[in-house]
Every structure is written in structure tokens, then in C-alpha cells.
């Protein structure tokens, strides 16, 4: 499978960053900080190659989209060629009440500027969903 196809498969809802008609800047800094912190913790699992743990910590929308085996295979195919993470910093945070193809709810779309050993400039987008008071990853896209 070509890398571009794998990227498309790994992307779940994150491509809607900035194109969501009902997205707005996060004004609730507590919710934003909590979602960003949860996203960073989730990304660290991926950085460490703990793909099974990242799947376990993902949200229901994510798990309904693909199996743990598919996730592990796809994320490895996308991240392994990049090498180890060098740096990651938050670029933007947006709140959405809904996403195309997803039920209404609280979502936070976060973009990070990331640098890897073999790709110095990348943008990682993580979509977080509020599931019963906990922020869970439901989308991941790297460009």
C-alpha cells in the first residue's frame, strides 16, 4: 500500500481542521489545556512505539473505524520511516460541536508542529473527543 493511501486510512476526522463550519477558537482554556495534555500523552505512546496502548486509550469513534491490528500496521507504516520525534509544539487548538460523519459532541482539534529524525517539518493533527468527561483521541493525521 502506498504511503499516501496509508495516511488517508490513518486519518479519521482530523482533516476537518479549519474546514468545520461549526468550529471556533477554544475560549474555555481549561478544556483546551485538558484536551491538549491528553493528546500529548496519547502521542507519546505512539512516539514510544506503544501502538496497542495508544489504541486502548483512543475513543470509541476511533475504535469503531479500525481494529487494533489495522491501527498498529498503519501507524507503524506512517511513523517508522520518519524516525524518532525530535520536537513537538502546539500550533493551534479549535473546538467543534460536531464533525462530518460523527455524532454531535465536544471535539478539540489540535495541530502540532513536529520534527522527526528523517522529516524535519511536519504537522500532526489530533482530534480529541470528550467521552464521559475524558478526552480521547478519535483522529490522527500527519502531513
Amino acid at each position: 500500500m502506498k504511503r499516501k493511501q496509508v495516511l488517508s486510512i490513518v486519518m479519521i476526522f482530523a482533516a476537518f481542521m479549519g474546514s468545520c463550519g461549526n468550529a471556533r477558537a477554544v475560549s474555555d482554556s481549561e478544556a483546551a489545556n485538558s484536551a491538549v495534555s491528553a493528546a500529548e500523552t496519547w502521542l507519546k505512546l505512539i512516539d514510544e512505539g506503544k501502538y496497542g496502548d495508544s489504541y486502548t486509550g483512543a475513543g470509541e469513534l476511533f475504535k469503531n473505524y479500525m481494529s487494533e491490528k489495522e491501527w498498529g500496521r498503519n501507524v507503524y507504516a506512517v511513523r517508522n520511516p520518519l524516525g524518532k520525534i525530535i520536537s513537538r509544539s502546539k500550533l493551534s487548538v479549535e473546538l467543534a460541536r460536531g464533525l462530518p460523519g460523527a455524532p454531535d459532541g465536544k471535539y478539540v482539534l489540535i495541530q502540532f508542529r513536529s520534527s522527526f529524525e528523517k522529516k524535519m517539518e511536519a504537522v500532526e493533527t489530533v482530534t480529541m473527543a470528550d467521552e464521559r468527561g475524558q478526552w480521547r483521541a478519535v483522529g490522527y493525521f500527519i502531513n
Side-chain angles (χ1 to χ4, degrees):
M1 186 177 288
K2 292 182 182 176
R3 181 181 164 103
K4 242 185 169 137
Q5 291 171 317
V6 171
L7 286 172
S8 295
I9 291 169
V10 172
M11 182 196 82
I12 297 183
F13 297 108
F16 303 110
M17 180 70 159
S19 65
C20 249
N22 56 353
R24 62 179 172 80
V26 173
S27 59
D28 183 349
S29 62
E30 186 177 320
N33 290 339
S34 181
V36 169
S37 177
E40 290 171 336
T41 298
W42 187 74
L43 286 170
K44 186 173 181 181
L45 293 172
I46 295 170
D47 295 340
E48 295 171 352
K50 296 178 180 177
Y51 306 138
D53 291 345
S54 70
Y55 186 86
T56 299
E60 292 304 313
L61 288 172
F62 188 99
K63 293 175 182 175
N64 291 336
Y65 186 79
M66 72 176 67
S67 70
E68 181 176 351
K69 186 176 182 178
E70 289 173 303
W71 167 245
R73 185 174 56 244
N74 290 332
V75 74
Y76 177 84
V78 171
R79 286 291 301 270
N80 190 56
L82 304 178
K84 293 183 184 208
I85 185 80
I86 295 170
S87 66
R88 177 181 289 126
S89 61
K90 181 178 62 177
L91 277 175
S92 65
V93 179
E94 290 185 36
L95 178 70
R97 293 289 176 196
L99 299 172
D104 287 345
K106 287 175 65 177
Y107 300 92
V108 177
L109 298 94
I110 308 156
Q111 287 191 321
F112 296 94
R113 180 180 316 278
S114 303
S115 180
F116 298 89
E117 287 177 319
K118 298 176 185 172
K119 182 168 180 66
M120 294 308 292
E121 292 186 26
V123 174
E124 291 177 290
T125 305
V126 181
T127 304
M128 303 297 287
D130 183 348
E131 291 186 356
R132 296 170 296 284
Q134 288 196 324
W135 290 106
R136 303 279 185 184
V138 295
Y140 177 68
F141 182 74
I142 188 166
N143 190 8

